Amino acid sequence: MTKDCVLVINCGSSSLKFSLIMPESGDTLLTGLAERLLSADASITINIQGEKTRSSLPEPFDHQSALSHLVSFLYQHKYEQRLLAIGHRVVHGGENYSTPELITQVVERTIDALSALAPLHNPVNLIGIRAAKQAFNHLPQVAVFDTAFHQTMPKTAYLYGLPYKLYEQHSIRRYGFHGTSHYFVSKKFAELNEQSIDSTSVITAHLGNGCSVAAIDHGKCVDTSMGLTPLEGLVMGTRSGSLDPGIVFHLCKQLGYRIEQVDDLLNKESGLLGISELSNDCRTLEQAMENEDDEKAKLAMDIFCYQISKTIASYSASLSKLDGIIFTGGIGENSSLVRERVVNRLKLLNVLIDDTANEATRFGKCGNIGKVGHTGCWVIPTNEEWVIAEQTYQLINEGS
């Protein structure tokens, strides 16, 4: 049987997402999610063409248990014979990695060392890598980094106004995230408009529970809104986004917050949830605005959309031209209201929205929602898993 599939693994602290993908076509044979790991309620769901099977996981209810169940499933359905590699999403590659890497002991140690920059993400990414190596010890393992696409940013974009030695000695700088998503939709835009990626300049907005905007000039990222961590930038689902650093000192010195409480406040209790005091989910807030005339829900959405518009507009300073604006991510792909509110503030960029196209372009549909004769405004569903599968496949082929 032909080895034509890559297993893509995205490991979280208490979850493990996976997809089995044919990298050349992007066809997905199965997807799945192991959730509530490290608890007695741990379970795994596998979806094959809309048919789902859900199973409880045995002790110790961990990532290895989930992968062991997946391995058994793959062998049972003979998918294992088609596997050529495992591709892992790794959040932080620092300045070390601007391309995918075959995972060696040196790469593992580097990912571990970079945990200082991504303490919530890199350690659990390593858990997934080590569990997968044990389960699939005969297959090459490849790391694809969220930060890699943003490594083309110039120093003027990625350095903070801090003493330079903090960058030299401790690598404190802007790195950016959602790189695989920004890369995918900019590449897809170029294909849809029959132009090369090297001649394409766009602003991409990945809007989900986490949100980021990127400026891509002639196919290369030149600026992005997330920073040293995913906390910087836009107002998000539960994250505050950028704020006056003096607020942290005020919270600690004047209001008695411990630094751990500030961390939780800014990452888990702020954003749409904190402002609305209702939900971090745009769908819930839109319903509250429409059905209950909820003023705090309206305020949260107003702030959210304004911040996106302001960031997109500011990135025009980073580009040599503007071919289009792209919305992606769960909110960007599905909320016609958010897109309308954002675009309505961008008239100075010659962007106008086509209301009919905007309402029709949802739930996986791709298209230009801008008015004819104006700068293109596109909705392009992201596919980060395909990027990971494709780049894993390309790296393996290069080494063969």
Side-chain angles (χ1 to χ4, degrees), residues 8 28 38 45 89 159 181 201 277 304 318 334 355 368:
V8 175
T28 301
L38 308 177
T45 301
R89 177 196 180 218
L159 284 182
S181 178
S201 296
E277 299 183 330
F304 180 63
S318 306
N334 296 307
D355 293 331
N368 186 355

Side-chain angles (χ1 to χ4, degrees), residues 105-146:
Q105 288 186 340
V106 172
V107 172
E108 279 191 53
R109 286 197 294 269
T110 306
I111 293 171
D112 190 26
L114 288 166
S115 292
L117 297 176
L120 300 179
H121 298 93
N122 275 31
V124 292
N125 295 156
L126 271 177
I127 289 172
I129 288 169
R130 288 165 179 164
K133 286 177 70 175
Q134 185 174 332
F136 302 101
N137 58 11
H138 61 294
L139 293 174
Q141 314 266 336
V142 173
V144 178
F145 300 91
D146 272 12

Side-chain angles (χ1 to χ4, degrees), residues 238-252:
T238 62
R239 297 176 193 145
S240 65
S242 297
L243 44 71
D244 177 356
I247 292 172
V248 175
F249 309 138
H250 184 79
L251 289 170
C252 293

Side-chain angles (χ1 to χ4, degrees), residues 221-360:
C221 178
V222 291
D223 207 346
T224 192
S225 58
M226 284 182 167
L228 175 74
T229 75
L231 180 60
E232 187 181 1
L234 306 173
V235 168
M236 307 178 216
T238 62
R239 297 176 193 145
S240 65
S242 297
L243 44 71
D244 177 356
I247 292 172
V248 175
F249 309 138
H250 184 79
L251 289 170
C252 293
K253 292 181 178 180
Q254 304 301 323
L255 303 183
Y257 277 69
R258 299 189 312 276
I259 198 66
E260 295 81 10
Q261 288 178 299
V262 175
D263 193 343
D264 282 345
L265 177 74
L266 300 184
N267 279 291
K268 300 176 182 177
E269 301 168 15
S270 298
L272 293 175
L273 174 64
I275 298 166
S276 71
E277 299 183 330
L278 176 64
S279 177
N280 64 315
D281 192 315
C282 265
R283 292 166 296 186
T284 301
L285 299 183
E286 287 183 27
Q287 289 170 3
M289 289 164 54
E290 183 178 349
N291 301 329
E292 303 165 32
D293 198 25
D294 189 311
E295 286 300 317
K296 286 183 180 175
K298 181 179 182 300
L299 178 62
M301 293 296 287
D302 286 346
I303 293 171
F304 180 63
C305 294
Y306 172 66
Q307 291 290 334
I308 298 166
S309 301
K310 185 170 73 168
T311 304
I312 289 173
S314 72
Y315 280 2
S316 63
S318 306
L319 302 177
S320 57
K321 60 172 182 167
L322 179 60
D323 295 322
I325 295 167
I326 304 169
F327 291 96
T328 194
I331 298 170
E333 294 169 26
N334 296 307
S335 177
S336 55
L337 176 65
V338 168
R339 296 191 303 245
E340 177 187 2
R341 289 187 168 198
V342 170
V343 173
N344 282 346
R345 289 183 175 272
L346 298 175
K347 292 183 176 65
L348 289 178
L349 296 184
N350 192 35
V351 185
L352 286 178
I353 205 161
D354 182 310
D355 293 331
T356 302
N358 186 38
E359 287 299 326

